[in-house]
Amino acid sequence: MRVYNTELGSRLLLGTAQYPSPTVLAEAVRASGAEVVTVSLRREGAGGGEGFWRLIRDLGVRVLPNTAGCHTVKEAVTTAQMAREVFGTPWIKLEVIGDDDTLQPEVFGLVDAARILSAEGFQVFPYTTADLVVAGRLLEAGCQVLMPWGAPIGSGRGLNNPYALRSLRAHFPDVPLVVDAGIGLPSHAAQAMELGYDAVLLNTAVARAGDPVRMAAAMARAVEAGRLAFEADPMEARDMAAPSTPVLGLPVFGA
């Protein structure tokens, strides 16, 4: 997988919030094989922030700061600028939230913020819907990767609209696409990869599992299996049965 001229060996990106302890977080990241973790500026700056940042550095992973919780263009841009100073990276996962109940992206502000940040040299990873028109506007604004949601953040509902996700993949075959939000089970992650998506970003499904480390390992295997299945060119679904054993040449017995 290649994003913004950076090659990544893992197609699983992992969030760092809500884990029961720093030790569990570190073990889950290692079990997942993830090379990129998302970090909120608010999360890093909370109590124990320096210890948390030291833990992330010790894991040897690439940090993708995000603008979680931002509701306006100004707030998102300011948070991104602060994150670049704190984490020393031009990467930013851009979130501009439009609805507090669903945490659905506010796509108009998202495009405006993406344009501003791209002009400032940021490499923007926009958390968006699976809307084709919005996707086109984000690419025009300078984004080189898109991160459509599968379902509302933290819902664990999987892929609510496979048709829209499939259409997005077909319309933008050369753009790195990452399903972000809503993944709850390894089967959801595998389904996203089977659609041809380049990666999956998840957090709650691992952090809130009874055993986050085992779930992280399960998600890693699901992502790999889904990618392999996509590359294998799966058979088309049929409405009627088709015998796996050829009928031609079978003996016919008379009465």
Side-chain angles (χ1 to χ4, degrees), residues 242-248 250:
S244 57
T245 301
V247 178
L248 187 65
L250 289 179

Side-chain angles (χ1 to χ4, degrees), residues 131-156:
D131 186 283
L132 294 176
V133 176
V134 173
R137 296 291 186 270
L138 287 168
L139 295 175
E140 292 172 0
C143 299
Q144 296 181 24
V145 58
L146 300 173
M147 303 178 70
W149 66 347
I153 293 173
S155 67

